[in-house]
Amino acid sequence: MNTTDTQHQTRMQRKKEVVDARIAEAQEERGVLILLRGNGKGKSSSAFGTLARSLGHGQRGGVIQFVKGRRETGEYRFFRDHPQLDWHIMGHGFTWETQDRNKDIEAAQAAWATAEQMLQDENYHLLVFDEMSYMFKYGYLDTAPVVEALKKRPRHQSVIITGRTMAAELQDVADTISTVQDERHAFRQGVKAQPGIEY
Amino acid sequence: MNTTDTQHQTRMQRKKEVVDARIAEAQEERGVLILLRGNGKGKSSSAFGTLARSLGHGQRGGVIQFVKGRRETGEYRFFRDHPQLDWHIMGHGFTWETQDRNKDIEAAQAAWATAEQMLQDENYHLLVFDEMSYMFKYGYLDTAPVVEALKKRPRHQSVIITGRTMAAELQDVADTISTVQDERHAFRQGVKAQPGIEY
């Protein structure tokens, strides 16, 4: 080995010690609450990717889409027939599309009723509440019963909640929070939303 | 309708006009280069979620994992048998695990050779180069041939590249860039990495 290679090896040995020590410290085993927020592209897709990961280990998953009402999305087509997964499309479109506050509230409450049942069902390893955060932003759901149900859920159950803005009460009880920041988006450069990328 | 409902409807009508106008402006149809960077959780899972979306529309996908060498991940188990997908695990672990610079470089160059072929193959709609950015960070690959191959790829082909730091030369030619920021991570609160969430 030449000097560069030896230096590299020494540096990496040191790095490995640091990494190993951190891994040794994290030994608690339980489900986690993950919040994916921010204005950037990649929040819902990240939740669906984690779902694939979970299903790959033979775990059972549940998805509730709080806003989307479309059934022709790639994600729904791809996942809908999976035997270990329950997928509920309970939104009926963005609130600026529906323009009807009362119907929005009705849809939100029906979605939450389903979500609440899932949070009591220990068969589910991973739940995805896609775009749920808009329900709090528009005042369609209260945070208190949601936080309560999240706290009481089965210990091994993980939950991912997505949406641009995230209620403070949810952040208080989250284990992992990632903010996805929009640095650049093809849409603003005139590229049309396309199947397989945006939906 | 009461006043609040009418106000809501008026606000949402206005919002819909703004949204519709922006949609009307974005009419170019082509594949995009998406970079997912940052220290937060959710980059690779976002790429795999987009892959599910793409496969759901009957498109063909290709994945190269530049760092991970493990085959027992949930994502690999879940996707590996899909008939419309080619998944290559070409890394052999984090560089601080291998501690061998020459072997790392060999693995990086073999992975790039496969990636380059995929970028010339118009059967692929979506390519995921998972954790490729580390190859540039450690100097295992040059950016110039990668940028060149990205520019020459089939017009309908989209590419997602993930990794903490992202080479400036790639950012110059990207259509969409999201930075995933780590606000909080269960790992730092003592929760062990678990199947279905971290791998």
Side-chain angles (χ1 to χ4, degrees), chain A residues 137-158:
Chain A
K137 185 189 168 195
Y138 285 107
Y140 295 165
L141 287 179
D142 291 329
T143 53
V146 175
V147 167
E148 199 55 28
L150 284 167
K151 282 185 178 170
K152 282 191 198 151
R153 76 186 195 276
R155 192 174 159 77
H156 67 278
Q157 194 179 75
S158 289

Side-chain angles (χ1 to χ4, degrees), chain A residues 52-70:
Chain A
R53 186 171 273 171
S54 175
L55 293 170
H57 286 291
Q59 301 174 352
R60 181 158 199 90
V63 175
I64 297 180
Q65 295 195 284
F66 277 79
V67 172
K68 285 192 189 103
R70 304 168 58 168

Side-chain angles (χ1 to χ4, degrees), chain B residues 127-169:
Chain B
L127 300 178
V128 174
F129 296 158
D130 188 34
E131 296 180 320
M132 187 192 209
S133 74
Y134 295 94
M135 305 302 109
F136 309 117
K137 185 190 170 192
Y138 285 107
Y140 296 165
L141 287 180
D142 290 329
T143 54
V146 176
V147 168
E148 199 55 27
L150 284 167
K151 282 185 179 169
K152 281 191 199 153
R153 77 186 195 276
R155 190 173 161 78
H156 67 277
Q157 194 180 75
S158 289
V159 180
I160 304 178
I161 299 176
T162 73
R164 287 197 162 215
T165 54
M166 202 54 74
E169 295 87 340

